[in-house]
Amino acid sequence: MELEIEHLTKSYGAKTALNGISLRIGEGIHGLLGPNGAGKTTLMRLLATLLEPSSGTAAIGGVPLRDKAQIRRMVGYLPQEFAVYPGMSVLEAMDYLALLSGMRNRAERRRRIDALLEQVNLTEQRRTKVKALSGGMKRRLGVAQAMVHEPQLLIVDEPTAGLDPEERIRFRQLLNRFSEGRIVLLSTHVVEDVESTCEQMTVLHRGELRYHGRTGELTAAAAGRIWTAEMERGQWERERERFPVLSAVPEGAGMRIRILADEQPYAGAQPAVPTIEDAYLYLMRKEAGVR
């Protein structure tokens, strides 16, 4: 199973939301990162056949996007704003959405729904009206409905928004299991989700492809540019604008800071091992021409 994208472009009048993207994505979990307006949602909606491309092509397992009926049987999609019929119970909503996904066998639907509700920890809420669910529960319901017909490509947009740390861990484990033999495209602002689950990742910026490859290779690009230092609060207030600060944590009477710099920024500053978040911020500043 492979997702192939060739020169995919989407324009709205004079504005180009996605500009000639070409990439190939194989089985497993693939991270999709980029600031607001980068083109991530446009790309996901194109792959889910909710938008028509202005030019270019894409195919999932050899099936082109223009074959909408077949593609929709192959794709599961959780948008950032997931809404479902509030007057239905969780079980009713899942059954209805499974029918819309083409699952005609009632016994098979029930088996699949029961298993998914267990996996997303919603079994006890199966009779609860959707409108009575918390934000995190609704997000988990969205994840379950996207998976119900066992799609070959699962697209999830900000799936851990509103989930507590324990739920995020549970969700990442669920994605790992589901991705065997399938493609999962994970778009998120929670860089920890990418670092914890994605071997490969893509970064978009202003509608263009800025990085596509192994997660570890992006991290390696920031090596030698991440520093940690301790300083008194007074010094911190005076010098905080000199270098890009990635984090600043109070520590006793002073501050421990994490800095992006090509060379040692302060006497006593120590080199640090970069994280994915460090590498992503380095890439974004590089793209913006900021040093």
Side-chain angles (χ1 to χ4, degrees):
M1 174 60 59
E2 187 174 53
L3 169 61
E4 302 172 82
I5 299 173
E6 297 289 342
H7 308 295
L8 199 61
T9 297
K10 179 62 180 177
S11 298
Y12 300 92
K15 180 182 178 182
T16 300
L18 204 65
N19 188 16
I21 298 298
S22 295
L23 51 87
R24 295 190 174 208
I25 298 174
E27 294 175 0
I29 307 176
H30 193 95
L32 182 61
L33 289 177
N36 291 333
K40 304 187 304 297
T41 298
T42 297
L43 175 59
M44 290 183 287
R45 288 175 63 82
L46 285 167
L47 295 176
T49 71
L50 299 176
L51 292 175
E52 294 276 355
S54 301
S55 62
T57 62
I60 302 168
V63 180
L65 288 187
R66 64 177 178 271
D67 190 348
K68 289 187 178 181
Q70 175 104 3
I71 290 291
R72 289 179 179 180
R73 287 192 290 270
M74 298 174 69
V75 173
Y77 180 42
L78 172 63
Q80 188 169 355
E81 298 298 329
F82 169 69
V84 71
Y85 308 97
M88 287 185 174
S89 70
V90 167
L91 188 58
E92 289 169 339
M94 284 291 294
D95 191 60
Y96 180 64
L97 292 168
L99 270 171
L100 292 181
S101 297
M103 297 183 68
R104 303 302 177 194
N105 186 294
R106 183 176 181 180
E108 176 63 17
R109 290 201 311 274
R110 186 60 178 268
R111 181 199 65 77
R112 180 65 181 155
I113 289 168
D114 286 347
L116 276 172
L117 292 182
E118 175 69 25
Q119 289 172 30
V120 300
N121 199 25
L122 282 177
T123 299
E124 293 184 4
Q125 287 76 34
R126 59 192 295 118
R127 304 293 180 188
T128 303
K129 298 290 186 185
V130 171
K131 62 185 176 184
L133 298 177
S134 68
M137 289 177 181
K138 288 178 182 176
R139 203 71 192 147
R140 284 184 268 147
L141 175 59
V143 172
Q145 66 80 28
M147 292 181 169
V148 70
H149 61 298
E150 299 187 316
Q152 292 301 298
L153 170 62
L154 176 66
I155 303 169
V156 285
D157 190 2
E158 299 294 340
T160 61
L163 303 185
D164 63 35
E166 184 177 352
E167 289 176 324
R168 283 204 301 272
I169 293 170
R170 179 196 291 265
F171 174 74
R172 291 198 293 260
Q173 292 171 343
L174 176 61
L175 279 190
N176 274 318
R177 291 194 299 270
F178 188 81
S179 67
E180 294 183 14
R182 298 183 176 89
I183 303 169
V184 176
L185 189 60
L186 169 64
S187 175
T188 181
H189 284 96
V190 183
V191 182
E192 180 186 353
D193 287 343
V194 174
E195 193 165 28
S196 301
T197 59
C198 303
E199 184 178 350
Q200 303 269 338
M201 62 183 293
T202 293
V203 179
L204 299 179
H205 183 57
R206 295 179 180 173
E208 298 191 349
L209 183 66
R210 297 307 190 195
Y211 180 80
H212 177 65
R214 297 177 68 87
T215 302
E217 290 175 1
L218 180 60
T219 305
R225 296 180 173 90
I226 310 299
W227 305 80
T228 59
E230 297 179 16
M231 59 178 60
E232 297 178 353
R233 289 178 184 264
Q235 181 187 5
W236 159 246
E237 292 297 332
R238 291 192 302 272
E239 300 194 20
R240 62 191 301 175
E241 302 300 329
R242 285 187 58 197
F243 297 96
V245 175
L246 303 174
S247 66
V249 180
E251 195 169 275
M255 301 288 291
R256 172 169 289 278
I257 60 175
R258 194 173 181 89
I259 307 160
L260 176 61
D262 289 338
E263 299 177 351
Q264 186 183 42
Y266 303 103
Q270 298 295 316
V273 176
T275 64
I276 285 295
E277 185 169 18
D278 296 331
Y280 171 72
L281 292 172
Y282 165 69
L283 178 64
M284 288 298 98
R285 292 186 67 85
K286 181 179 176 182
E287 288 297 329
V290 179
R291 298 185 64 83

